[in-house]
Amino acid sequence: MHYSIIVVCLPDGAGFISINCGMSGTASYVENSTKLSTSPDTAFLDDEDAGSAHNISAEYIVPRLGKRYYTVRSFPDGERNCYTLRSLVAGLKYLVRALFKYGNYDVLHRLPIVFDLYVGVNFWTMVNITDADAPVILEAIVVVRDDFVQICLVNTGSGTPFVSGLDLRPLKSTLYPQVNATQGLVLVTRTNFGTDDTTVAVR
Ligand SMILES: *[C@@H]1O[C@H](CO)[C@@H](O)[C@H](O)[C@H]1NC(C)=O
Ligand SMILES: *[C@@H]1O[C@H](CO)[C@@H](O)[C@H](O)[C@H]1NC(C)=O
Ligand SMILES: *[C@@H]1O[C@H](CO)[C@@H](O)[C@H](O)[C@H]1NC(C)=O
Ligand SMILES: *[C@@H]1O[C@H](CO)[C@@H](O)[C@H](O)[C@H]1NC(C)=O
């Protein structure tokens, strides 16, 4: 008896954008856990001087923690701070993802931190960071109207917004048929990984 397994893959990382927020330098690198090319965030900031970069506290750097969680960018100033991801195709469907790990980056041990995320002008989700260690990953599916999309962190007076990483992944238009041009944003998961097991790569 013969079995065939056909694995269909996109060319590695085609159209993917992976961003490490707060990392130093301007050079991209290959993230160990995902094998994807990952870029510093400064080129994606609407205001390249916005926010400040921080390392998380050393005690929160656990084995196998993805390098994206080593640093954050925080936004103590301004109510709304945005990243713009470019070179998209208007009308196509994308997964957007935001990653957070507090890691006591501000050495204040102050939690919870609550703020809002927007995709362009559309409210995406509230972010509620209650654990210094556990990474939080939030995802949404959008159909973009333009050849770019903005991801914005909005200060709601309950702590300084911060972010560890951002991702953009093109999706086949047939996936998530409930997402279309008029209904442009669907929350797919709200994941709070309660352990330090970050070996399960999220690409
Ligand atoms: C973070 O740590 C790296 C290396 O450990 C260091 O080069 C960098 O200056 C630090 N960044 C900040 C913002 O403290
Ligand atoms: C990534 O993997 C390389 C080779 O295995 C290792 O030397 C390096 O320390 C790893 N980096 C991180 C951030 O885990
Ligand atoms: C944030 O999460 C904590 C723990 O689940 C909860 O007690 C708190 O009410 C939440 N804050 C907001 C603003 O929803
Ligand atoms: C988009 O989807 C919503 C809900 O599924 C539906 O009500 C609406 O008619 C759809 N719009 C288009 C342009 O297909």
Side-chain angles (χ1 to χ4, degrees):
M1 201 179 293
H2 293 278
Y3 293 94
S4 308
I5 297 175
I6 300 171
V7 180
V8 180
C9 288
L10 284 170
D12 194 33
F16 285 21
I17 299 175
S18 305
I19 301 172
N20 183 337
C21 301
M23 73 174 274
S24 55
T26 54
S28 300
Y29 67 98
V30 175
E31 178 87 35
N32 276 359
S33 58
T34 59
K35 308 296 181 219
L36 293 174
S37 176
T38 302
S39 306
D41 64 338
T42 42
F44 298 92
L45 281 165
D46 282 7
D47 168 1
E48 66 178 25
D49 298 321
S52 51
H54 299 271
N55 290 320
I56 64 169
S57 295
E59 67 262 38
Y60 292 100
I61 297 183
V62 294
R64 300 189 305 278
L65 180 69
K67 193 181 166 195
R68 286 207 283 180
Y69 293 113
Y70 287 27
T71 57
V72 304
R73 182 171 301 277
S74 72
F75 297 98
D77 299 317
E79 184 195 335
R80 179 185 186 89
N81 285 277
C82 299
Y83 290 90
T84 299
L85 314 189
R86 300 182 190 283
S87 302
L88 313 193
V89 179
L92 292 194
K93 200 170 285 182
Y94 292 86
L95 171 75
V96 293
R97 184 187 291 142
L99 300 80
F100 309 87
K101 169 162 167 146
Y102 170 60
N104 196 30
Y105 77 83
D106 54 3
V107 207
L108 293 172
H109 287 290
R110 192 178 292 157
L111 290 173
I113 297 169
V114 178
F115 55 94
D116 286 344
L117 278 184
Y118 280 73
V119 176
V121 297
N122 300 309
F123 176 74
W124 169 4
T125 185
M126 183 185 76
V127 183
N128 180 0
I129 307 296
T130 58
D131 185 310
D133 196 37
V136 171
I137 300 176
L138 301 173
E139 297 186 332
I141 308 283
V142 297
V143 171
V144 298
R145 284 193 323 185
D146 305 294
D147 59 359
F148 62 88
V149 68
Q150 273 192 317
I151 301 175
C152 302
L153 292 79
V154 174
N155 190 323
T156 53
S158 303
T160 299
F162 74 93
V163 60
S164 306
L166 295 171
D167 284 330
L168 181 109
R169 305 283 180 256
L171 296 176
K172 287 204 177 98
S173 297
T174 48
L175 294 175
Y176 301 96
Q178 69 273 32
V179 181
N180 58 32
T182 49
Q183 180 166 310
L185 183 77
V186 164
L187 189 65
V188 278
T189 59
R190 181 186 293 269
T191 312
N192 187 340
F193 291 102
T195 74
D196 64 1
D197 184 359
T198 50
T199 54
V200 181
V202 179
R203 287 172 59 109

